[in-house]
Coordinates of all heavy atoms in Angstrom, one line a residue:
M22 N 0.8 -1.2 0.0 CA 0.0 0.0 0.0 C 0.8 1.3 0.0 O 0.3 2.3 -0.3 CB -0.9 0.0 1.2 CG -2.1 -1.0 1.1 SD -3.3 -0.4 2.2 CE -4.7 -0.3 1.2
G23 N 2.1 1.1 0.4 CA 3.0 2.3 0.4 C 3.4 2.8 -1.0 O 4.0 3.8 -1.1
S24 N 3.1 2.0 -2.0 CA 3.6 2.3 -3.3 C 2.7 3.3 -4.1 O 1.5 3.1 -4.0 CB 3.8 1.0 -4.1 OG 4.2 1.3 -5.4
D25 N 3.3 4.3 -4.6 CA 2.4 5.2 -5.4 C 2.0 4.7 -6.7 O 2.8 3.8 -7.3 CB 3.3 6.5 -5.6 CG 2.5 7.6 -6.2 OD1 1.3 7.8 -6.0 OD2 3.2 8.5 -6.8
W26 N 0.9 5.0 -7.3 CA 0.4 4.5 -8.6 C 1.4 4.8 -9.7 O 1.6 4.1 -10.6 CB -1.0 5.0 -8.9 CG -1.1 6.4 -9.1 CD1 -1.4 7.4 -8.1 CD2 -1.1 7.1 -10.3 NE1 -1.5 8.6 -8.7 CE2 -1.3 8.5 -10.0 CE3 -0.8 6.8 -11.7 CZ2 -1.3 9.5 -11.0 CZ3 -0.8 7.8 -12.6 CH2 -1.0 9.1 -12.3
K27 N 2.1 6.0 -9.6 CA 3.0 6.3 -10.6 C 4.2 5.3 -10.6 O 4.8 5.0 -11.7 CB 3.5 7.8 -10.5 CG 2.5 8.7 -10.9 CD 3.1 10.1 -10.7 CE 2.0 11.2 -11.0 NZ 2.5 12.5 -10.9
D28 N 4.6 4.9 -9.4 CA 5.7 4.0 -9.3 C 5.3 2.6 -9.9 O 6.1 1.9 -10.5 CB 6.0 3.7 -7.8 CG 6.7 4.9 -7.2 OD1 7.2 5.8 -7.9 OD2 6.6 5.1 -6.0
K29 N 4.0 2.2 -9.7 CA 3.5 1.0 -10.3 C 3.6 1.0 -11.9 O 3.8 0.0 -12.5 CB 2.1 0.7 -9.9 CG 2.1 0.3 -8.4 CD 0.6 0.0 -8.0 CE 0.6 -0.2 -6.5 NZ -0.8 -0.4 -6.0
L30 N 3.2 2.2 -12.4 CA 3.2 2.3 -13.9 C 4.6 2.4 -14.4 O 4.8 2.1 -15.6 CB 2.3 3.4 -14.2 CG 0.8 3.2 -14.0 CD1 0.0 4.5 -14.3 CD2 0.2 2.0 -14.8
G31 N 5.5 3.0 -13.7 CA 6.8 3.1 -14.1 C 7.0 4.1 -15.3 O 6.2 5.0 -15.6
D32 N 8.2 4.1 -15.9 CA 8.5 5.1 -16.9 C 7.6 5.0 -18.1 O 7.6 5.9 -18.9 CB 10.0 4.9 -17.3 CG 10.9 5.2 -16.3 OD1 10.6 6.0 -15.4 OD2 12.0 4.6 -16.3
G33 N 7.0 3.9 -18.4 CA 6.1 3.7 -19.6 C 4.9 4.8 -19.5 O 4.5 5.3 -20.5
Y34 N 4.5 5.1 -18.3 CA 3.4 6.0 -18.1 C 3.9 7.4 -18.5 O 3.2 8.1 -19.4 CB 2.9 6.0 -16.7 CG 1.9 7.1 -16.4 CD1 0.6 7.0 -16.9 CD2 2.2 8.2 -15.7 CE1 -0.3 8.0 -16.7 CE2 1.3 9.2 -15.5 CZ 0.0 9.1 -15.9 OH -0.9 10.1 -15.7
T35 N 5.0 7.9 -18.0 CA 5.4 9.2 -18.3 C 5.9 9.3 -19.8 O 5.7 10.3 -20.4 CB 6.6 9.6 -17.4 OG1 7.7 8.6 -17.4 CG2 6.1 9.8 -16.0
A36 N 6.4 8.2 -20.3 CA 6.9 8.2 -21.7 C 5.6 8.3 -22.6 O 5.6 9.0 -23.7 CB 7.6 6.9 -22.0
S37 N 4.5 7.7 -22.2 CA 3.3 7.7 -23.1 C 2.7 9.1 -23.0 O 2.2 9.6 -24.0 CB 2.3 6.7 -22.7 OG 1.7 6.9 -21.4
I38 N 2.8 9.8 -21.9 CA 2.2 11.1 -21.8 C 3.1 12.1 -22.7 O 2.6 12.9 -23.4 CB 2.3 11.7 -20.4 CG1 1.2 11.0 -19.5 CG2 2.0 13.1 -20.3 CD1 1.2 11.3 -18.1
G39 N 4.4 11.9 -22.6 CA 5.3 12.7 -23.4 C 5.1 12.5 -25.0 O 5.0 13.4 -25.7
W40 N 4.9 11.2 -25.3 CA 4.6 10.9 -26.7 C 3.3 11.5 -27.2 O 3.3 12.1 -28.3 CB 4.5 9.3 -26.8 CG 4.2 8.9 -28.2 CD1 5.0 8.7 -29.2 CD2 2.9 8.5 -28.6 NE1 4.3 8.2 -30.3 CE2 3.0 8.1 -30.0 CE3 1.6 8.5 -28.0 CZ2 1.9 7.7 -30.7 CZ3 0.6 8.1 -28.8 CH2 0.7 7.7 -30.1
R41 N 2.3 11.5 -26.4 CA 1.0 12.0 -26.8 C 1.1 13.5 -27.0 O 0.6 14.1 -27.9 CB 0.0 11.7 -25.7 CG -1.5 12.1 -26.0 CD -2.4 11.7 -24.9 NE -3.7 12.2 -25.1 CZ -4.2 13.3 -24.6 NH1 -3.4 14.0 -23.7 NH2 -5.4 13.8 -24.8
D42 N 1.7 14.2 -26.0 CA 1.9 15.7 -26.0 C 2.7 16.1 -27.2 O 2.3 17.1 -27.9 CB 2.5 16.2 -24.7 CG 1.6 16.1 -23.5 OD1 0.4 16.0 -23.7 OD2 2.2 16.1 -22.4
K43 N 3.7 15.3 -27.6 CA 4.5 15.7 -28.8 C 3.7 15.5 -30.0 O 3.7 16.3 -30.9 CB 5.7 14.8 -28.8 CG 6.8 15.1 -27.9 CD 8.0 14.1 -28.0 CE 9.0 14.3 -26.9 NZ 10.1 13.3 -26.9
L44 N 2.9 14.5 -30.1 CA 2.0 14.3 -31.3 C 1.0 15.4 -31.4 O 0.7 15.9 -32.5 CB 1.4 12.9 -31.2 CG 0.5 12.6 -32.4 CD1 1.3 12.5 -33.6 CD2 -0.1 11.1 -32.2
I45 N 0.4 15.8 -30.3 CA -0.6 16.8 -30.3 C 0.1 18.1 -30.7 O -0.5 18.8 -31.6 CB -1.2 17.0 -28.9 CG1 -2.1 15.8 -28.6 CG2 -2.0 18.4 -28.8 CD1 -2.6 15.8 -27.2
R46 N 1.2 18.4 -30.2 CA 1.9 19.7 -30.6 C 2.3 19.7 -32.1 O 2.2 20.6 -32.8 CB 3.2 20.0 -29.8 CG 2.9 20.7 -28.5 CD 4.2 21.0 -27.9 NE 5.0 19.8 -27.7 CZ 5.3 19.3 -26.5 NH1 4.9 19.9 -25.4 NH2 6.1 18.2 -26.4
K47 N 2.8 18.5 -32.5 CA 3.2 18.4 -34.0 C 2.0 18.6 -34.9 O 2.0 19.3 -35.9 CB 3.8 17.0 -34.2 CG 4.4 16.9 -35.5 CD 5.1 15.6 -35.7 CE 5.7 15.4 -37.0 NZ 6.4 14.1 -37.2
S48 N 0.9 18.0 -34.5 CA -0.4 18.1 -35.4 C -0.9 19.5 -35.3 O -1.3 20.1 -36.4 CB -1.4 17.1 -34.8 OG -1.0 15.8 -34.8
A49 N -0.9 20.1 -34.2 CA -1.3 21.5 -34.1 C -0.4 22.4 -34.8 O -1.0 23.4 -35.6 CB -1.5 21.9 -32.6
N50 N 0.9 22.2 -34.8 CA 1.8 23.0 -35.6 C 1.6 22.9 -37.1 O 1.7 23.8 -37.8 CB 3.2 22.7 -35.2 CG 3.6 23.2 -33.8 OD1 3.0 24.1 -33.3 ND2 4.6 22.6 -33.3
K51 N 1.3 21.6 -37.5 CA 1.1 21.4 -38.9 C -0.2 22.1 -39.4 O -0.2 22.6 -40.5 CB 1.0 19.9 -39.1 CG 1.1 19.4 -40.6 CD 2.5 19.8 -41.1 CE 2.9 19.0 -42.2 NZ 4.1 19.5 -42.8
I52 N -1.3 22.0 -38.6 CA -2.5 22.7 -38.9 C -2.2 24.2 -39.0 O -2.7 24.9 -40.0 CB -3.6 22.4 -38.0 CG1 -4.0 20.9 -38.1 CG2 -4.9 23.3 -38.1 CD1 -5.0 20.4 -37.1
R53 N -1.4 24.7 -38.1 CA -1.1 26.1 -38.1 C -0.3 26.5 -39.4 O -0.6 27.5 -40.0 CB -0.3 26.5 -36.9 CG 0.3 27.9 -36.8 CD -0.8 28.9 -36.7 NE -1.2 29.2 -35.4 CZ -1.9 30.3 -35.0 NH1 -2.3 31.1 -35.8 NH2 -2.1 30.5 -33.8
E54 N 0.7 25.7 -39.8 CA 1.4 25.9 -41.0 C 0.5 26.0 -42.2 O 0.7 26.9 -43.0 CB 2.6 24.9 -41.2 CG 3.6 25.0 -40.1 CD 4.6 23.8 -40.3 OE1 4.6 23.0 -41.3 OE2 5.4 23.5 -39.4
W55 N -0.4 25.0 -42.3 CA -1.3 25.0 -43.4 C -2.2 26.2 -43.4 O -2.4 26.8 -44.5 CB -2.2 23.7 -43.4 CG -1.6 22.4 -43.6 CD1 -0.4 22.2 -44.4 CD2 -2.0 21.2 -43.3 NE1 -0.2 20.9 -44.4 CE2 -1.1 20.3 -43.8 CE3 -3.2 20.7 -42.6 CZ2 -1.2 18.9 -43.5 CZ3 -3.3 19.4 -42.4 CH2 -2.4 18.4 -42.8
A56 N -2.6 26.6 -42.3 CA -3.4 27.8 -42.2 C -2.7 29.1 -42.5 O -3.2 30.0 -43.2 CB -4.0 28.0 -40.7
I57 N -1.4 29.2 -42.2 CA -0.6 30.3 -42.6 C -0.5 30.4 -44.1 O -0.6 31.4 -44.7 CB 0.7 30.3 -41.8 CG1 0.5 30.6 -40.3 CG2 1.7 31.3 -42.5 CD1 1.7 30.4 -39.5
R58 N -0.2 29.3 -44.7 CA -0.1 29.2 -46.2 C -1.4 29.6 -46.9 O -1.4 30.4 -47.8 CB 0.3 27.7 -46.6 CG 1.8 27.5 -46.6 CD 2.2 26.2 -47.3 NE 2.6 25.4 -46.2 CZ 2.3 24.1 -46.0 NH1 1.5 23.5 -46.8 NH2 2.8 23.5 -45.0
N59 N -2.5 29.1 -46.3 CA -3.8 29.4 -46.9 C -4.1 30.9 -46.6 O -4.7 31.6 -47.5 CB -4.9 28.6 -46.2 CG -4.8 27.1 -46.6 OD1 -4.1 26.7 -47.5 ND2 -5.6 26.3 -46.0
A60 N -3.8 31.5 -45.5 CA -4.0 32.9 -45.2 C -3.1 33.8 -46.2 O -3.7 34.7 -46.7 CB -3.6 33.2 -43.8
K61 N -1.9 33.3 -46.5 CA -1.1 34.1 -47.4 C -1.8 34.1 -48.8 O -1.8 35.2 -49.5 CB 0.3 33.5 -47.5 CG 1.2 33.8 -46.3 CD 2.5 33.1 -46.5 CE 3.4 33.4 -45.3 NZ 4.7 32.8 -45.4
K62 N -2.2 32.9 -49.2 CA -2.9 32.8 -50.5 C -4.2 33.7 -50.6 O -4.5 34.5 -51.5 CB -3.3 31.4 -50.8 CG -2.2 30.5 -51.1 CD -2.6 29.1 -51.3 CE -1.5 28.1 -51.3 NZ -2.0 26.7 -51.4
R63 N -5.0 33.7 -49.4 CA -6.2 34.4 -49.3 C -5.9 36.0 -49.4 O -6.6 36.7 -50.1 CB -6.9 34.1 -48.0 CG -8.2 34.7 -47.8 CD -8.8 34.1 -46.6 NE -9.7 35.0 -45.9 CZ -10.3 34.7 -44.8 NH1 -10.1 33.6 -44.1 NH2 -11.2 35.6 -44.2
I64 N -4.9 36.3 -48.8 CA -4.4 37.8 -48.8 C -4.0 38.2 -50.1 O -4.4 39.3 -50.6 CB -3.4 38.1 -47.7 CG1 -3.9 37.9 -46.3 CG2 -2.8 39.5 -47.9 CD1 -2.9 37.9 -45.2
A65 N -3.3 37.3 -50.8 CA -2.8 37.6 -52.1 C -4.0 37.7 -53.1 O -3.9 38.6 -54.1 CB -1.8 36.5 -52.6
L66 N -4.9 36.9 -53.0 CA -6.1 36.9 -53.9 C -6.9 38.2 -53.7 O -7.5 38.6 -54.7 CB -7.0 35.7 -53.6 CG -6.5 34.3 -54.1 CD1 -7.4 33.2 -53.6 CD2 -6.5 34.3 -55.6
K67 N -6.8 38.8 -52.7 CA -7.4 40.1 -52.4 C -6.6 41.3 -53.0 O -7.0 42.4 -52.9 CB -7.7 40.4 -50.9 CG -8.8 39.5 -50.4 CD -9.1 39.9 -48.9 CE -10.1 39.0 -48.3 NZ -10.5 39.4 -46.9
G68 N -5.4 40.9 -53.5 CA -4.5 41.9 -54.1 C -3.8 42.7 -53.0 O -3.4 43.8 -53.3
K69 N -3.6 42.2 -51.9 CA -2.9 42.9 -50.8 C -1.6 42.1 -50.4 O -1.4 41.0 -50.8 CB -3.8 43.0 -49.5 CG -5.0 43.9 -49.8 CD -5.7 44.2 -48.5 CE -6.9 45.1 -48.8 NZ -7.5 45.5 -47.5
S70 N -0.9 42.8 -49.6 CA 0.4 42.2 -49.1 C 0.1 42.0 -47.5 O -0.5 42.9 -46.9 CB 1.6 43.1 -49.3 OG 2.7 42.8 -48.5
P71 N 0.7 41.0 -47.0 CA 0.6 40.9 -45.5 C 1.0 42.1 -44.7 O 0.6 42.4 -43.6 CB 1.4 39.7 -45.2 CG 1.5 38.9 -46.4 CD 1.4 39.9 -47.5
N72 N 2.0 42.9 -45.3 CA 2.5 44.0 -44.6 C 1.4 45.2 -44.6 O 1.6 46.1 -43.7 CB 3.7 44.6 -45.4 CG 4.8 43.6 -45.3 OD1 5.0 42.9 -44.4 ND2 5.7 43.6 -46.3
E73 N 0.4 45.0 -45.4 CA -0.6 46.1 -45.4 C -1.6 45.9 -44.4 O -2.5 46.7 -44.0 CB -1.3 46.1 -46.8 CG -0.4 46.5 -47.9 CD -1.2 46.4 -49.2 OE1 -2.4 46.8 -49.3 OE2 -0.5 45.9 -50.3
L74 N -1.6 44.6 -43.7 CA -2.6 44.3 -42.7 C -2.1 44.5 -41.3 O -0.8 44.3 -41.1 CB -3.1 42.9 -42.9 CG -3.8 42.6 -44.3 CD1 -4.1 41.1 -44.4 CD2 -5.1 43.4 -44.5
S75 N -2.9 44.7 -40.4 CA -2.5 44.7 -39.0 C -2.2 43.3 -38.4 O -2.7 42.4 -39.0 CB -3.5 45.5 -38.1 OG -4.6 44.6 -37.9
E76 N -1.5 43.2 -37.4 CA -1.3 41.9 -36.8 C -2.6 41.2 -36.4 O -2.7 40.0 -36.6 CB -0.4 42.0 -35.6 CG 0.3 40.8 -35.1 CD 1.3 41.0 -34.0 OE1 2.1 41.9 -34.2 OE2 1.3 40.2 -33.0
E77 N -3.5 42.0 -35.9 CA -4.8 41.5 -35.5 C -5.6 40.9 -36.6 O -6.2 39.8 -36.5 CB -5.6 42.5 -34.7 CG -5.1 42.9 -33.4 CD -4.0 44.0 -33.4 OE1 -3.9 44.7 -34.6 OE2 -3.2 44.1 -32.6
E78 N -5.5 41.6 -37.8 CA -6.3 41.2 -39.0 C -5.6 39.9 -39.5 O -6.4 38.9 -39.9 CB -6.1 42.2 -40.1 CG -7.0 43.5 -39.8 CD -6.7 44.5 -40.9 OE1 -5.6 44.8 -41.2 OE2 -7.8 45.1 -41.3
I79 N -4.3 39.7 -39.4 CA -3.7 38.5 -39.9 C -4.0 37.4 -39.0 O -4.3 36.2 -39.4 CB -2.1 38.7 -40.0 CG1 -1.8 39.7 -41.1 CG2 -1.4 37.4 -40.1 CD1 -0.4 40.1 -41.1
E80 N -4.1 37.6 -37.7 CA -4.4 36.6 -36.6 C -5.8 36.0 -36.9 O -6.1 34.9 -36.8 CB -4.3 37.2 -35.2 CG -2.8 37.3 -34.7 CD -2.8 37.9 -33.4 OE1 -3.7 37.8 -32.6 OE2 -1.7 38.4 -33.0
V81 N -6.8 37.0 -37.2 CA -8.1 36.6 -37.5 C -8.2 35.7 -38.8 O -8.9 34.6 -38.7 CB -9.1 37.9 -37.6 CG1 -10.4 37.4 -38.2 CG2 -9.2 38.6 -36.3
I82 N -7.5 36.1 -39.8 CA -7.5 35.3 -41.0 C -6.9 33.9 -40.8 O -7.4 32.9 -41.2 CB -6.7 36.1 -42.2 CG1 -7.5 37.3 -42.6 CG2 -6.5 35.2 -43.4 CD1 -6.7 38.3 -43.5
V83 N -5.8 33.9 -40.1 CA -5.1 32.6 -39.8 C -6.1 31.7 -38.9 O -6.3 30.5 -39.2 CB -3.8 32.7 -39.1 CG1 -3.2 31.4 -38.6 CG2 -2.8 33.3 -40.1
A84 N -6.8 32.3 -37.9 CA -7.7 31.5 -37.1 C -8.9 31.0 -37.9 O -9.3 29.8 -37.8 CB -8.2 32.4 -36.0
E85 N -9.3 31.8 -38.9 CA -10.4 31.4 -39.8 C -10.0 30.2 -40.7 O -10.7 29.2 -40.8 CB -10.9 32.5 -40.6 CG -11.7 33.5 -39.9 CD -12.0 34.8 -40.8 OE1 -11.6 34.9 -41.9 OE2 -12.7 35.7 -40.2
E86 N -8.7 30.3 -41.1 CA -8.1 29.2 -42.0 C -8.0 28.0 -41.2 O -8.2 26.8 -41.6 CB -6.9 29.7 -42.7 CG -7.1 30.7 -43.7 CD -8.0 30.3 -44.9 OE1 -7.9 29.2 -45.2 OE2 -8.7 31.2 -45.3
E87 N -7.5 28.1 -39.9 CA -7.4 26.9 -39.0 C -8.7 26.2 -38.8 O -8.8 25.0 -38.9 CB -6.8 27.4 -37.7 CG -5.3 27.5 -37.7 CD -4.8 27.9 -36.3 OE1 -5.6 28.3 -35.4 OE2 -3.6 27.7 -36.1
E88 N -9.8 27.0 -38.6 CA -11.1 26.4 -38.4 C -11.5 25.7 -39.6 O -12.2 24.6 -39.6 CB -12.1 27.6 -38.0 CG -13.5 27.0 -37.6 CD -13.4 26.1 -36.4 OE1 -12.5 26.2 -35.5 OE2 -14.3 25.2 -36.4
K89 N -11.3 26.3 -40.8 CA -11.6 25.6 -42.1 C -10.9 24.2 -42.2 O -11.5 23.3 -42.6 CB -11.3 26.5 -43.3 CG -12.2 27.6 -43.5 CD -11.7 28.3 -44.8 CE -12.4 29.7 -45.0 NZ -11.8 30.4 -46.1
I90 N -9.6 24.2 -41.9 CA -8.9 23.0 -41.9 C -9.4 22.0 -41.0 O -9.6 20.8 -41.3 CB -7.4 23.3 -41.7 CG1 -6.8 24.1 -42.8 CG2 -6.6 22.0 -41.5 CD1 -5.4 24.7 -42.5
K91 N -9.7 22.4 -39.8 CA -10.3 21.5 -38.8 C -11.6 20.9 -39.2 O -11.9 19.7 -39.1 CB -10.5 22.1 -37.4 CG -9.2 22.4 -36.7 CD -9.4 23.0 -35.4 CE -8.0 23.3 -34.7 NZ -8.2 24.1 -33.5
L92 N -12.5 21.7 -39.9 CA -13.7 21.3 -40.5 C -13.5 20.3 -41.6 O -14.3 19.3 -41.7 CB -14.6 22.5 -40.9 CG -15.2 23.3 -39.8 CD1 -15.8 24.6 -40.4 CD2 -16.1 22.5 -38.9
Q93 N -12.5 20.5 -42.3 CA -12.2 19.5 -43.5 C -11.7 18.2 -42.9 O -12.1 17.2 -43.4 CB -11.1 20.1 -44.4 CG -11.5 21.3 -45.3 CD -10.4 22.0 -46.0 OE1 -9.2 21.7 -45.7 NE2 -10.7 22.8 -46.9
I94 N -10.9 18.3 -41.9 CA -10.4 17.1 -41.3 C -11.7 16.3 -40.6 O -11.8 15.1 -40.7 CB -9.4 17.4 -40.1 CG1 -8.1 17.9 -40.8 CG2 -9.1 16.1 -39.3 CD1 -7.1 18.4 -39.8
Q95 N -12.5 17.0 -40.0 CA -13.8 16.5 -39.4 C -14.5 15.8 -40.4 O -15.1 14.7 -40.3 CB -14.6 17.6 -38.7 CG -15.7 17.0 -38.0 CD -16.5 18.1 -37.2 OE1 -16.3 19.3 -37.5 NE2 -17.3 17.8 -36.3
A96 N -14.7 16.5 -41.6 CA -15.5 15.9 -42.7 C -14.9 14.7 -43.3 O -15.6 13.8 -43.8 CB -15.7 16.9 -43.8
S97 N -13.6 14.6 -43.2 CA -12.8 13.4 -43.7 C -12.9 12.2 -42.8 O -12.4 11.1 -43.2 CB -11.4 13.7 -44.0 OG -10.7 13.9 -42.8
G98 N -13.5 12.3 -41.6 CA -13.6 11.2 -40.7 C -12.4 11.0 -39.8 O -12.3 10.1 -38.9
A99 N -11.4 11.9 -39.8 CA -10.3 11.9 -38.9 C -10.6 12.4 -37.6 O -9.7 12.4 -36.7 CB -9.1 12.6 -39.6
T100 N -11.8 12.9 -37.3 CA -12.1 13.5 -36.0 C -11.9 12.5 -34.9 O -11.4 12.9 -33.8 CB -13.6 14.1 -36.0 OG1 -13.7 14.9 -37.1 CG2 -13.9 14.7 -34.8
A101 N -12.3 11.3 -35.1 CA -12.2 10.3 -34.0 C -10.7 10.2 -33.5 O -10.5 10.2 -32.3 CB -12.7 9.0 -34.5
V102 N -9.9 10.2 -34.5 CA -8.4 10.1 -34.1 C -8.0 11.4 -33.4 O -7.3 11.3 -32.4 CB -7.6 9.9 -35.4 CG1 -6.1 10.0 -35.0 CG2 -7.9 8.6 -36.0
M103 N -8.4 12.5 -33.9 CA -8.1 13.8 -33.2 C -8.7 13.9 -31.8 O -7.9 14.4 -30.9 CB -8.5 15.0 -34.0 CG -7.8 15.1 -35.4 SD -8.4 16.4 -36.4 CE -8.1 17.8 -35.3
V104 N -9.8 13.4 -31.6 CA -10.5 13.4 -30.3 C -9.7 12.5 -29.3 O -9.4 12.9 -28.2 CB -11.9 13.1 -30.3 CG1 -12.5 12.8 -29.0 CG2 -12.8 14.1 -31.1
M105 N -9.4 11.4 -29.8 CA -8.6 10.4 -29.0 C -7.3 11.0 -28.5 O -6.8 10.7 -27.5 CB -8.4 9.1 -29.7 CG -9.6 8.2 -29.9 SD -9.4 6.8 -30.9 CE -7.8 6.2 -30.5
L106 N -6.7 11.8 -29.4 CA -5.4 12.3 -29.0 C -5.5 13.7 -28.4 O -4.5 14.3 -27.9 CB -4.5 12.6 -30.4 CG -4.2 11.3 -31.1 CD1 -3.5 11.6 -32.5 CD2 -3.3 10.4 -30.3
G107 N -6.7 14.2 -28.2 CA -6.9 15.5 -27.5 C -6.6 16.7 -28.4 O -6.4 17.8 -27.8
I108 N -6.6 16.5 -29.7 CA -6.3 17.6 -30.6 C -7.4 18.5 -30.8 O -7.4 19.7 -31.0 CB -5.7 17.1 -31.9 CG1 -4.4 16.4 -31.7 CG2 -5.4 18.3 -32.9 CD1 -3.8 15.6 -32.9
Y109 N -8.6 17.9 -30.9 CA -9.9 18.6 -31.3 C -10.9 18.4 -30.2 O -11.1 17.4 -29.7 CB -10.3 18.1 -32.7 CG -11.4 18.9 -33.3 CD1 -11.1 20.1 -33.8 CD2 -12.7 18.4 -33.4 CE1 -12.0 20.9 -34.4 CE2 -13.7 19.1 -34.0 CZ -13.4 20.4 -34.5 OH -14.3 21.1 -35.1

């Protein structure tokens, strides 16, 4: 009874938490990269340069693009995987 539950699970427990967190960060970063690329295209299609927009306007456009990507992933059926990993 004196043993802590973390001791019983050993290093495998902490390693699995680290692995999951790394995967979540990597996936979130990838979605962010796609959103930035899409935002650049969207701004260019409007005939503007990113330098012409405020930082807040760019953040809003990138956030909208991230949401579009998440909806596309959801429509593709990958939502279950994202939910399991805690990404979405």
Side-chain angles (χ1 to χ4, degrees):
M22 288 199 124
S24 181
D25 189 28
W26 64 271
K27 289 182 183 178
D28 292 336
K29 291 179 183 177
L30 293 173
D32 292 333
Y34 174 74
T35 55
S37 68
I38 290 175
W40 174 84
R41 182 178 175 264
D42 290 339
K43 286 179 189 177
L44 183 60
I45 290 169
R46 272 190 304 250
K47 186 176 180 180
S48 300
N50 287 339
K51 196 62 157 171
I52 290 172
R53 174 65 91 165
E54 288 173 15
W55 288 338
I57 290 170
R58 273 189 249 136
N59 290 350
K61 287 179 181 178
K62 290 176 190 175
R63 184 171 153 186
I64 293 167
L66 286 172
K67 290 183 178 183
K69 294 188 176 186
S70 165
N72 296 333
E73 296 176 42
L74 301 174
S75 71
E76 194 172 318
E77 292 81 22
E78 290 173 315
I79 292 172
E80 287 178 19
V81 168
I82 293 170
V83 171
E85 289 172 355
E86 293 298 326
E87 280 183 341
E88 188 60 30
K89 286 181 189 177
I90 292 168
K91 288 178 182 178
L92 290 173
Q93 289 172 346
I94 291 170
Q95 184 178 15
S97 73
T100 303
V102 174
M103 290 177 64
V104 167
M105 286 175 38
L106 296 173
I108 299 169
Y109 191 71

